[in-house]
Amino acid sequence: RAKALGRSRTAVFDEALRTEALERIRIAAELRHAIDRDELSVVYQPIVDMRTGEVSAAEALLRWEHPELGQVPPNRFIDIAEESNLIVQLGRFVADDVCATLARFPHLRYITMNVSARQLATSDFVEATLDALQRHGVDPGRLAVELTENVLIDAVGSSLRQLDELRGHGVGVGVDDFGTGFASLTYLKRLPVTFVKVDRSFVSGVPTNDDDRSIVEAVVGLAHALKLQPIAEGVETDDQAAFLQSLDCPLAQGYLFGRPAPAEALAEVSRP
Ligand code: C2E
Ligand code: MG
Ligand code: MG
Ligand code: MG
């Protein structure tokens, strides 16, 4: 009986894997047409200066609305796009939208966009990014890129050179989901980093969870010590906001301040 049960479990597991694999193949195929079919858009989540309530910046996040699959979340298609190198086209689409939005809203200090390993490894990444800025007449100092620490650790020479070059033009460079990777911190000294995003998984536990409090304190402290700007992710409650402010981490994004929304919403932001 145990054996039969084991076998049927395996069958269920195989079936689930099969469904998952088929779905990935379908997503890869559909994603190929997503740009041409106008199914992609970029939404912006405000980054707020909690001292003034001013929206000083925003993060660009990709959205895909498929006619049959509906809203496909980035977590379901970004890694597939990376495997197939489609991420390079998607990244250019995002960069163009970001630059158009920066041109449209001069009061925004900067907009950050997420960049994956593949994009950074593409030899004309810098050229394409500067081209987007130029086409829209935007100062490179108003653009920033976010990379996860794993991307930064794995980055080889040519990718690091591109990062240095971008930074040389004034583009900001940030570490996304800071603290969740398995990185030694020495890379922060080596790389042209200007800000770190304190991951939502830690922010969500403050101020009640002792471990999360210690981690957030340590991460923000480290950022200050290295003269990097800390930005808190996923702030959802007033208590979290107050705790971050007490640590001198005034920049934050999260549902408490605003959900990712079409660029139009940035017009309504309060100005100092
Ligand atoms: P991320 O860069 O860490 O982005 C933050 C994610 O947290 C976003 O999810 C955002 O909608 C969500 N979020 C923001 N505030 C809150 C909050 O208060 N509570 C909760 N529960 N969630 C919050 P989203 O848009 O689904 O994106 C997921 C991930 O997909 C991103 O994580 C990023 O790694 C990736 N991604 C999104 N757009 C792009 C893109 O254009 N290029 C690349 N390479 N990756 C992207
Ligand atoms: Mg990000
Ligand atoms: Mg993040
Ligand atoms: Mg995150």
Side-chain angles (χ1 to χ4, degrees), residues 44 49 51 208 224-225 240:
Y44 294 87
D49 186 334
R51 290 167 299 197
T208 40
H224 284 143
Q240 290 165 356

Side-chain angles (χ1 to χ4, degrees), residues 45 59 62-63 74-75 114 176-177 200 233 236 254-255 260:
Q45 182 174 39
E59 175 176 7
L62 193 54
R63 290 293 177 263
N75 291 336
N114 296 284
D176 202 356
D177 305 340
R200 172 162 65 87
E233 282 190 323
E236 294 182 352
Y255 295 167

Side-chain angles (χ1 to χ4, degrees), residues 52-123:
T52 58
E54 174 205 0
V55 174
S56 52
E59 175 176 7
L61 295 158
L62 193 54
R63 290 293 177 263
W64 179 20
E65 172 85 39
H66 184 276
E68 282 155 32
L69 302 171
Q71 274 282 349
V72 187
N75 291 336
R76 270 181 63 206
F77 71 82
I78 291 289
D79 64 322
I80 295 174
E82 272 171 49
E83 282 165 16
S84 60
N85 224 25
L86 261 175
I87 192 73
V88 174
Q89 275 163 269
L90 300 189
R92 285 184 189 170
F93 175 82
V94 172
D96 189 74
D97 201 277
V98 165
C99 292
T101 302
L102 281 167
R104 188 170 158 198
F105 299 110
H107 66 280
L108 284 181
R109 293 215 184 108
Y110 60 93
I111 294 179
T112 73
M113 62 178 192
N114 296 284
V115 170
S116 73
R118 277 285 184 111
Q119 289 172 266
L120 196 60
T122 307
S123 59

